[in-house]
Amino acid sequence: MTLDKKIQQMAAGEHRLDPDQQRHYLGTFAERVVLLGTIADAQHPVFIKNLDTVLQDYHRKYAHLHLKLSARLDNALEISYLKAAQAIGIQATVVDEDKAQSPYGFVLHTDKAEQLSEIEVQELYPDYFVDEPTQPTKKSLWKKLFG
């Protein structure tokens, strides 16, 4: 590609279909999405514990899955998601676009239109978003006697 052609191409702007929608869904189209979750959903401890199960469910249902992660997630969390996806054979990528203002922490999508009506992780897996019961702290002997 010549320098002149490259300059003309860059001046013309992006060559994506509906770039705003692609930015919103971390680089894919809405009709391809099979599961998505907000940043808070992606960070929920109970969901993280069950991430392998969720990914395996979708890997059985759909071929050619891709997991897109927001760069706004913590690096350690990104690595957990990347490892979980890789272990199952799902392609995973961290998306970091300057202009992207996506509310999503992760988007799981296929390479073709699926047109699913329910794709929100909290609607599909409500049990994974309840807070774990906390263990009552035991009082020390001194607290029992003098507390």
Side-chain angles (χ1 to χ4, degrees):
M1 179 179 286
T2 66
L3 181 60
D4 186 43
K5 188 172 183 178
K6 180 79 172 173
I7 291 171
Q8 287 177 353
Q9 197 175 45
M10 292 180 80
E14 292 187 76
H15 293 298
R16 293 197 275 190
L17 297 174
D18 201 351
D20 291 334
Q21 183 184 75
Q22 287 185 343
R23 282 187 208 105
H24 187 75
Y25 290 101
L26 299 176
T28 193
F29 297 105
E31 61 269 9
R32 293 181 177 185
V33 176
V34 294
L35 184 70
L36 55 77
T38 64
I39 299 285
D41 294 341
Q43 296 171 336
H44 198 281
V46 179
F47 178 71
I48 293 168
K49 284 182 181 179
N50 292 287
L51 178 62
D52 291 335
T53 304
V54 172
L55 292 178
Q56 287 172 1
D57 287 349
Y58 279 86
H59 187 61
R60 282 191 290 274
K61 292 179 190 175
Y62 301 99
H64 308 290
L65 283 174
H66 303 273
L67 178 65
K68 301 282 178 77
L69 301 169
S70 171
R72 296 184 340 197
L73 292 175
D74 179 52
N75 286 341
L77 190 56
E78 285 177 3
I79 291 169
S80 297
Y81 275 82
L82 292 170
K83 283 182 179 179
Q86 182 182 20
I88 298 170
I90 297 173
Q91 291 182 349
T93 315
V94 177
V95 177
D96 188 13
E97 288 194 41
D98 292 336
K99 300 175 186 175
Q101 295 297 322
S102 177
Y104 303 116
F106 70 90
V107 173
L108 188 63
H109 69 90
T110 64
D111 61 348
K112 60 185 173 67
E114 299 291 342
Q115 299 289 355
L116 300 178
S117 59
E118 288 195 19
I119 56 175
E120 303 241 350
V121 70
Q122 283 203 29
E123 292 174 8
L124 296 167
Y125 294 93
D127 294 343
Y128 295 165
F129 293 94
V130 293
D131 292 328
E132 292 181 308
T134 56
Q135 297 291 334
T137 55
K138 293 183 179 181
K139 289 186 175 183
S140 69
L141 178 61
W142 293 108
K143 292 266 186 188
K144 288 179 184 176
L145 294 174
F146 302 108

